[in-house]
Amino acid sequence: MRRAIALSLENVELGRGGPFAAVVVRNGEIIGEGTNQVTSSNDPSAHAEMLAVRAACCRLAHFQLTGCEIYTSCEPCPMCLGLIYWARPDKVYYANTAEDAAAIGFDDSRIYRELESPPAARSIPMMQMLRHEALAAFRAWQEKPGKIPY
């Protein structure tokens, strides 16, 4: 956790993005690190956890982090939380809370409220279309021999 905190402070000093950092550890060894690079990369998905998980998965040559722990300088946002569940680490440790982040302008409560609303009623309306055509890809996946489930 101290490494994640040090990286978050360094990130602020270098101006690469917000005050967030994450570290992925396996068997006591750091296998992935990331700092928030949203503003420096013009990528809204460049959150610390996203970059740390990508680095760790690349190093492990696997899309899951079984046997790993994530140390993050702040409680994960909804996007990073989704990623964490997909990556399946054994445990996540965090330092700052979502409330601490909201107090300095990083408030995720809107996203949580939006998720509770029906898609068409969200502030960015989401309209379903061409479902029957799109189901062809799902059928192809379902019937594909040798697929790698995840």
Side-chain angles (χ1 to χ4, degrees):
M1 182 60 79
R2 286 188 179 92
R3 177 66 178 154
I5 293 169
L7 286 170
S8 68
L9 284 165
E10 179 183 298
N11 205 51
V12 172
E13 292 167 7
L14 295 175
R16 291 184 294 212
F20 306 99
V23 175
V24 179
V25 175
R26 184 174 194 187
N27 299 324
E29 177 188 357
I30 294 174
I31 60 167
E33 294 182 338
T35 58
N36 181 286
Q37 296 180 19
V38 170
T39 57
S40 61
S41 67
N42 294 314
D43 178 355
S45 73
H47 287 204
E49 296 91 339
M50 300 291 276
L51 299 179
V53 167
R54 287 175 187 160
C57 287
C58 184
R59 182 162 176 193
L60 294 174
H62 200 272
F63 54 86
Q64 292 183 342
L65 296 176
T66 306
C68 298
E69 298 173 332
I70 298 176
Y71 295 82
T72 180
S73 64
C74 187
E75 188 174 354
C77 75
M79 176 180 67
C80 294
L81 187 60
L83 166 74
I84 288 166
Y85 277 97
W86 281 112
R88 296 178 175 87
D90 291 354
K91 194 174 285 188
V92 176
Y93 299 93
Y94 64 92
N96 294 312
T97 66
E99 291 79 18
D100 296 331
I104 62 164
F106 296 94
D107 188 0
D108 299 326
S109 62
R110 173 181 166 240
I111 298 169
Y112 285 110
R113 283 192 308 274
E114 290 282 311
L115 289 171
E116 293 173 358
S117 299
R122 294 178 182 158
S123 63
I124 300 173
M126 299 183 182
M127 309 299 182
Q128 186 178 29
M129 61 185 291
L130 301 178
R131 176 176 178 257
H132 295 291
E133 292 179 35
L135 283 172
F138 280 20
R139 282 190 298 276
W141 170 260
Q142 193 171 25
E143 296 166 5
K144 181 179 176 61
K147 65 184 169 225
I148 301 172
Y150 59 97

